[in-house]
Amino acid sequence: MTLPQTSERDEAGFTLVEVLVALALFSLLAVVLFDGVKFGLQAWRGGSARTEAFQRELAARDVLRRLIGNLYPMMLGEGAAQRRIDLDGQAESLEFLSDAPAVSGGAGRFRFKLLAERQRDRVDLVLQSRAELAVDQAPERTLLVSNIDRVEFGYAPRGTASGEAEFSTSWQQQIEPPGVIRLRVVMRPGDGRSWPELVIAPRLQADVACVYDALTMRCRGR
C-alpha cells in the first residue's frame, strides 16, 4: 500500500515573501489609521480652542456691558468752576467707577480702567481693577481680548440717539457722564474672529450720593 505524498508547498506554510508582504500591508494600514486618528485629534483640539475663545470673548462683552452700564458718575472738585465727573475717557482707554464685581461680594465700588495695552508687535484689550478706597493697592489685570489690531472708544452727550450720535474721542473734565459710550475692537487683517461694536448707555447720569454743601461748595463728607 502506497501512502499519499504531500507537496513541499503544503509542508512549508507561508513563504518569506508572503510574510514580508503581509507586514508591509499591516504597516501601511497602521500608518493610515494613525494619520486619521491624529487628524481627528487636531480637529477636535482646534474646535475646542475656538469654542473656548468664543466663550471667553462672549463673557468679556457681557462684563463690559454691565460695568459701563453701571458706571458711577461721582462728582469731584471744590468750586462750581472746578466740579467734574470722576471719569477719564480717551481714544484708547476709559477709566471710571462702577459696581464691585461679583467675586468680591458685590460690596462698594471699584475703579476700572479699560485700555489697549501694547507689547512689542501685539495689542491686547485689558481691564484693570481695584477697590475704590484701596489707593495703595496695585490694580488687578484681566486680559479680555488678545492679539488685536486696535481699540477705539467714542463718547456722545446725553440726549443723543445711539444710531445718530456723533462720537468724540475724548471725554475729560466734564460735568456729566457721556450719554452713550461706544467701544470698537478691530481685529488684525486675516483674523477670523469678530467683535461686534458695543454701544452702551450708562444708567446713572448724576451723583445721587452727593449732598451739596453750599459752605464748602462740595459734596458733604468728601
Side-chain angles (χ1 to χ4, degrees):
M1 182 176 181
T2 303
L3 296 175
Q5 297 181 354
T6 59
S7 64
E8 295 180 357
R9 170 82 177 171
D10 296 337
E11 293 178 353
F14 296 105
T15 64
L16 179 59
V17 173
E18 292 173 335
V19 173
L20 292 176
V21 170
L23 289 175
L25 291 175
F26 178 78
S27 300
L28 180 61
L29 180 62
V31 170
V32 172
L33 291 176
F34 176 76
D35 287 343
V37 172
K38 183 179 179 180
F39 176 78
L41 287 174
Q42 289 177 345
W44 177 77
R45 289 172 180 171
S48 298
R50 286 191 295 270
T51 301
E52 184 179 352
F54 175 77
Q55 293 295 336
R56 287 199 304 266
E57 292 176 3
L58 187 63
R61 291 195 290 269
D62 290 339
V63 168
L64 292 180
R65 288 190 185 95
R66 185 184 67 83
L67 292 180
I68 297 177
N70 293 335
L71 72 81
Y72 189 82
M74 179 177 286
M75 187 65 70
L76 301 176
E78 298 182 0
Q82 299 177 350
R83 292 170 64 79
R84 68 189 187 280
I85 291 293
D86 188 4
L87 184 146
D88 183 16
Q90 301 182 39
E92 292 190 336
S93 67
L94 172 62
E95 186 173 355
F96 60 97
L97 290 173
S98 187
D99 295 339
V103 294
S104 66
R109 287 187 295 262
F110 270 58
R111 183 172 297 278
F112 297 96
K113 185 174 183 179
L114 278 166
L115 70 153
E117 186 178 85
R118 286 178 167 78
Q119 298 180 357
R120 295 184 180 179
D121 60 342
R122 60 181 291 171
V123 179
D124 299 329
L125 177 60
V126 173
L127 175 66
Q128 296 179 355
S129 62
R130 64 173 174 82
E132 178 186 2
L133 301 180
V135 180
D136 298 330
Q137 177 183 345
E140 181 179 346
R141 178 184 181 276
T142 303
L143 176 62
L144 298 180
V145 194
S146 63
N147 199 20
I148 61 177
D149 186 66
R150 64 185 185 277
V151 175
E152 298 176 353
F153 283 96
Y155 312 93
R158 184 171 53 176
T160 305
S162 59
E164 303 174 354
E166 293 184 2
F167 291 92
S168 63
T169 58
S170 176
W171 197 273
Q172 299 173 301
Q173 303 295 323
Q174 300 290 327
I175 60 173
E176 63 179 10
V180 181
I181 298 176
R182 182 183 65 190
L183 170 59
R184 287 176 175 170
V185 177
V186 182
M187 299 298 175
R188 287 185 170 186
D191 194 324
R193 297 175 299 170
S194 63
W195 183 282
E197 179 180 283
L198 298 181
V199 180
I200 307 168
R203 296 183 180 89
L204 287 179
Q205 291 293 326
D207 186 357
V208 296
C210 176
V211 179
Y212 185 71
D213 191 333
L215 182 62
T216 61
M217 293 187 296
R218 68 175 66 180
C219 299
R220 293 179 183 175
R222 297 183 189 171

